[in-house]
Amino acid sequence: MSPERIFQSLSAAGLIAGAWLYGDYWKKIGASQSSDESITALRAQNSELTLENDELKGGLAQVRSMLAQGPFPVPEDLIAYVEKDLGMVFLKAPNVKRDSPATLRNIAEKNLKFTRGENGLMLENIAWELLGFIPSDQNLLGQWIAIETEDTRGIFDLTSGKILLSESFDPQSIPDSAILARLLSMQLAYQNHPQKEWPTRDSWQAWQATFLGAAEATRQRYQRSRSVTEGGVTWKDPEQARDDLLNQLSAALQGFANFPFLDGQDHASYHYIDSREAYRKMFREPAETTAEIIHPERPQLKYAKISFKEKSGLVLGEDSIGELGLRIWLEAFLGTQPASDLAKSWRGDRYQLIEENEKPILIWYLEMATAKSAETLVAEVRRLIFPSIKETQPKRKIEITSQGSRVTFANSPLNE
């Protein structure tokens, strides 16, 4: 019998034994209150049953340990489905195991630091506040960990290549099995096309959208195939808690977090429908900018490489948020379609975060397609975004200008 089946059997036995123990003991006590001998005998009987129950709990703990230490038995047909769908084969057997919620949170934090750098999210926290992406006094690292682990069924560990399933994962559930298909797709693609570093957030988001978007498309195809075999059954979304959490966070976090599942999946489906060779090439040569994810049908454009002149003060870091970041920045004020239309003219960006007199300064350069699109961006930001940023950051000097196709946004402390 498998550890999973043993665990389920022991769990059921424990519940039955506990319920019987509780009911039978108090039933007999009520019928024998006048007899000291009966009470003594029942107490002895209760002590013996309690000992048996403790032994049962010990057995359950041992099985939990077996499940945590040993590999999770992934069905062969699920492995075959994922390999066929991606057009790849596992170079090593799928590495899957169960683990505790604390371990899953630790892995989520490791993934974030692996992709963004040890202090990357701390610096991003400051930059996003100055851009007006998020309110002040936010904890981006904690929020991202919550997004990745809120009632999750599993997580893929980029640092080890392992899949960790939560204790709530149900192997008999079709939606849970579909999520495992997504995790296996990530593991399979990463085995065949590993990557260890990303120079900017935009390049990371593009890579994530390629691989996670493809994995999400596999999940949906697998679940649809199972729905057909089950007679068209529909299931409750097992990841609803994640969506509920995102709805409580800033629009920027929602936009960045949902990008792989929306634009990324569309990007993957575009290549999947094109041809198997186009799909395989998508993994071999993944997009390097979110602009490529958003516009898979557009011919490859040449994007600007932006650099900074030397600046007085301590340079804390530099980064790029790409067309995706520009679109998200504009959406809350312009609306979805106008923001997308204007962001489409993005041709490159880079910001620099500087510390001067213990206060942060942000300089952000954006290269637009034309001088006209640069002027339009400046006008819209001044008209719609500046009032909001200046209201929430009254002690900051905020400016935006354009010269040709180059836009410069600056946020610095007011001279006091």
Side-chain angles (χ1 to χ4, degrees), residues 229-366:
T229 60
E230 296 288 329
V233 176
T234 58
W235 296 280
K236 180 181 177 182
D237 180 7
E239 297 178 316
Q240 184 60 47
R242 177 186 183 273
D243 294 336
D244 294 340
L245 172 64
L246 277 173
N247 288 334
Q248 300 173 37
L249 300 176
S250 70
L253 264 77
Q254 293 178 42
F256 284 116
N258 287 329
F259 183 69
F261 296 94
L262 301 176
D263 298 73
Q265 183 191 339
D266 289 345
H267 175 83
S269 297
Y270 176 87
H271 290 85
Y272 188 89
I273 293 169
D274 185 353
S275 68
R276 297 303 286 171
E277 175 53 29
Y279 198 56
R280 285 190 289 268
K281 184 179 179 182
M282 181 189 75
F283 292 102
R284 290 196 309 268
E285 302 173 15
E288 296 180 353
T289 67
T290 52
E292 297 169 64
I293 298 294
I294 297 168
H295 311 288
E297 77 294 340
R298 190 168 71 180
Q300 183 65 46
L301 298 174
K302 185 176 181 180
Y303 298 107
K305 300 292 184 182
I306 299 173
S307 59
F308 286 85
K309 297 177 181 179
E310 289 188 11
K311 178 78 177 178
S312 61
L314 174 65
V315 176
L316 300 176
E318 296 184 7
D319 210 342
S320 165
I321 58 175
E323 180 177 338
L324 171 63
L326 178 59
R327 188 181 76 183
I328 290 171
W329 196 51
L330 298 173
E331 270 181 346
F333 302 93
L334 275 68
T336 302
Q337 195 57 53
S340 296
D341 291 342
L342 186 50
K344 190 183 296 184
S345 295
W346 175 95
R347 293 295 181 270
D349 82 286
R350 195 166 187 84
Y351 68 74
Q352 188 176 70
L353 193 60
I354 305 159
E355 184 179 80
E356 203 169 83
N357 299 322
E358 298 184 349
K359 292 183 179 180
I361 298 172
L362 182 117
I363 308 294
W364 184 26
Y365 292 145
L366 295 110

Side-chain angles (χ1 to χ4, degrees), residues 113-117 120 123-124 195-208 286-290 292 305-306 316-322 349-351:
K113 291 183 176 180
F114 176 67
T115 57
R116 304 298 302 123
L123 298 177
E124 196 166 78
Q195 189 162 332
K196 299 296 183 182
E197 58 183 27
W198 298 265
T200 65
R201 163 166 281 281
D202 193 50
S203 62
W204 152 244
Q205 288 273 181
W207 183 91
Q208 183 196 39
E288 296 180 353
T289 67
T290 52
E292 297 169 64
K305 300 292 184 182
I306 299 173
L316 300 176
E318 296 184 7
D319 210 342
S320 165
I321 58 175
D349 82 286
R350 195 166 187 84
Y351 68 74

Side-chain angles (χ1 to χ4, degrees), residues 5 20 36 63 69 73 75 97 104 107 126 167 171 177 179 186 201 207 217-218 236 246 252 318 339 372 384 396 400:
R5 184 59 63 190
W20 180 86
D36 290 343
V63 174
Q69 297 302 322
K97 60 176 288 190
L104 266 63
I107 294 304
I126 300 169
E167 293 175 346
S177 295
I179 290 175
M186 281 291 293
R201 163 166 281 281
W207 183 91
T218 296
K236 180 181 177 182
L246 277 173
E318 296 184 7
K372 183 177 180 180
L384 297 172
R396 307 285 301 182
I400 188 167

